[in-house]
Amino acid sequence: GEPAPPILGVVPDRPYLGCPALADVESTFGTVLLSGSDHRYRHYDVGSNVQGRSIGMSMITTDLAAFLRTMQRQDGDSRTIFICHVTRDDVILGFLAEYRRKTRRGIPFQSALVICTGCDDGGGNKSDIELSPEVCDMIRDAGPAGPPVLRAPGYSPADAAKHIRTMTPKFNANDERRVTKATEHYEPFIDFDLLIDRTTYASDIAA
């Protein structure tokens, strides 16, 4: 039979490389960040642990006080993608207020908010609810350096959480941190001289 192809390398998994950046979330929902675009390439661990509970992602179904307690318990290194429905103006404004509170105190704020506008009447009929112009203006006023907030048009919070959890992050040349980490991770395990040699050989044959 045909000889086995040479092994170029065996690369162990590195979970970080599978963590989506906010740019991946934008692409999934076909939207752009309303604020916080400076943090487009910030990564979030949205996998599931053995109990099936999300790590780094939380769908908000509690009242405002409980949501604020959750955010205030987070330290400066915490990164969570919070997901809420567009009708939860209280949660949206609470998210912005907590960002400003931590900023005043010099505490890093790394969480993001996904606002879902989809609505299902229970009979299979879906519709979309617009984010109010007043709230939208308040989000945009936070600017590119502010907290990352984006819309998920047509998605319910549950659907949005499912799409984020199961997405496959894309490699983006502008995502310098992920490119650097990928290079550092793969380089020791792959015979690049052999890879270049085989690629050159295949190109010569094709020519």
Side-chain angles (χ1 to χ4, degrees):
E2 293 290 330
I7 295 178
L8 297 174
V10 177
V11 183
D13 182 38
R14 173 157 188 172
Y16 167 79
L17 298 178
C19 293
L22 291 172
D24 297 306
V25 181
E26 286 181 311
S27 178
T28 293
F29 298 129
T31 186
V32 295
L33 287 159
L34 297 172
S35 64
S37 58
D38 287 354
H39 313 300
R40 179 167 281 117
Y41 298 110
R42 180 181 288 166
H43 297 84
Y44 293 80
D45 181 357
V46 296
S48 297
N49 62 17
V50 292
Q51 286 79 33
R53 296 169 58 191
S54 296
I55 303 171
M57 182 168 62
S58 178
M59 188 167 60
I60 306 305
T61 58
T62 61
D63 62 16
L64 176 60
F67 173 58
L68 291 177
R69 284 195 296 271
T70 296
M71 295 190 71
Q72 289 171 5
R73 283 196 296 265
Q74 292 186 317
D75 59 31
D77 294 324
S78 296
R79 289 188 182 183
T80 302
I81 294 180
F82 291 107
I83 303 172
C84 75
H85 194 257
V86 67
T87 55
R88 293 298 306 271
D89 288 343
D90 58 334
V91 167
I92 298 170
L93 297 180
F95 179 84
L96 296 174
E98 180 60 14
Y99 161 74
R100 293 189 177 96
R101 188 186 75 88
K102 285 188 172 176
T103 299
R104 285 196 303 270
R105 298 186 178 195
I107 302 172
F109 186 94
Q110 302 193 63
S111 290
L113 180 65
V114 174
I115 303 171
C116 302
T117 64
C119 184
D120 190 333
D121 65 1
N125 299 313
K126 295 186 177 181
S127 58
D128 213 40
I129 301 175
E130 289 296 323
L131 181 64
S132 77
E134 295 80 8
V135 173
C136 189
D137 284 345
M138 293 182 72
I139 296 171
R140 292 183 187 279
D141 282 347
V149 180
L150 59 83
R151 293 167 57 252
Y155 288 85
S156 69
D159 286 341
K162 180 179 178 180
H163 276 73
I164 294 172
R165 189 181 300 116
T166 59
M167 73 169 62
T168 300
K170 302 298 188 296
F171 219 55
N172 190 312
N174 294 319
D175 189 347
E176 296 180 2
R177 179 173 173 80
R178 180 179 283 168
V179 170
T180 300
K181 290 295 182 183
T183 303
E184 293 173 350
H185 179 62
Y186 284 106
E187 193 170 27
F189 300 101
I190 295 179
D191 188 338
F192 283 98
D193 289 335
L194 180 58
L195 175 61
I196 293 171
D197 179 65
R198 293 290 172 174
T199 304
T200 303
Y201 176 71
S203 298
D204 290 342
I205 292 177

